Amino acid sequence: MQESDVATGTKERGVKPMLARWRARRRSALAFMLLGGIVTLVTACTPTGSYPIDFFYEMHYQPSQRRLEPKRIPPPEGSVPITGGTPSYTWDQVTNMTSPVPRNAQTLARGETLFTVNCAMCHGAKADGQSFIATRFNAAHFYPPVDLHSQRVQSRTDGQLYWIVTNGLGNMPTFRNLLTDDDRWAMVNYIRNLQGQ
């Protein structure tokens, strides 16, 4: 050993071996993070089931049948269950639709409740487009929530109002998955009642 190596200790505990160990640790940490990312990606992209990853085949997933039971036929592709599923209408299809929900005290009360919970914060408690959210939209130079008493809204048919509540328009969100079909029609009835129609 040279005298300078003994004084600094670079031969055995030098900078180069420390750098080599540091790089090896860094590579192993990166490999571990990459492996963790791959596992996370694989578990997030599996088809929906009881568990994110099925490590073991489970018998209750198979389309089995009992002895003497008639053969089970799978439903046709694109079929909708009879207890759910709302058809999607185009703007032209809804133009001549009328509300299947009768306009009576009970449905108007339901429509008022739904309007207060879902719409009043933007369209205002009186449905005149005056609300805190409307002022924020104006300040941000977005289209503000519409005045439901305006001529433009009054000239729309019931079916068109139903379509707007269902699918949303502009900054208005869709209520397709939040409200039932009858609830959306009850809101249309309530809006018509507010307009004096």
Side-chain angles (χ1 to χ4, degrees):
M1 274 184 146
Q2 295 179 352
E3 190 174 319
S4 62
D5 289 338
V6 173
T8 58
T10 56
K11 191 91 173 175
E12 295 174 13
R13 296 175 303 187
V15 175
K16 289 183 181 179
M18 284 178 30
L19 279 174
R21 285 193 301 269
W22 180 79
R23 286 183 182 138
R25 287 183 189 148
R26 184 174 159 207
R27 279 193 299 269
S28 64
L30 287 174
F32 183 74
M33 288 190 317
L34 180 64
L35 180 64
I38 290 171
V39 168
T40 303
L41 184 65
V42 167
T43 57
C45 296
T46 55
T48 57
S50 297
Y51 311 104
I53 294 180
D54 283 331
F55 292 106
F56 305 105
Y57 183 74
E58 298 186 19
M59 291 182 65
H60 62 267
Y61 288 150
Q62 67 181 350
S64 60
Q65 58 194 57
R66 296 176 185 234
R67 191 170 74 88
L68 301 177
E69 183 180 43
K71 183 177 178 184
R72 293 184 186 181
I73 301 172
E77 186 70 29
S79 60
V80 178
I82 60 170
T83 57
T86 303
S88 294
Y89 297 108
T90 64
W91 183 260
D92 294 331
Q93 290 173 328
V94 298
T95 301
N96 296 322
M97 286 178 69
T98 57
S99 177
V101 175
R103 193 186 301 186
N104 54 33
Q106 183 181 3
T107 58
L108 288 176
R110 177 71 179 152
E112 181 180 11
T113 302
L114 292 167
F115 182 86
T116 304
V117 171
N118 297 295
C119 309
M121 77 278 298
C122 293
H123 292 282
K126 298 177 184 176
D128 55 2
Q130 303 298 316
S131 67
F132 175 74
I133 302 292
T135 59
R136 303 301 293 172
F137 272 63
N138 283 324
H141 303 292
F142 291 138
Y143 289 112
V146 70
D147 176 6
L148 298 179
H149 300 284
S150 68
Q151 185 60 38
R152 187 176 92 189
V153 177
Q154 289 188 21
S155 66
R156 300 217 187 269
T157 66
D158 287 355
Q160 289 171 339
L161 289 178
Y162 167 79
W163 188 92
I164 292 171
V165 171
T166 301
N167 298 301
L169 185 66
N171 296 318
M172 180 178 160
T174 175
F175 288 93
R176 174 185 299 278
N177 298 326
L178 298 174
L179 300 174
T180 65
D181 206 38
D182 288 345
D183 284 346
R184 285 178 270 146
W185 280 113
M187 282 178 59
V188 170
N189 288 344
Y190 178 69
I191 291 168
R192 290 300 190 207
N193 192 56
L194 283 175
Q195 295 170 344
Q197 293 185 14

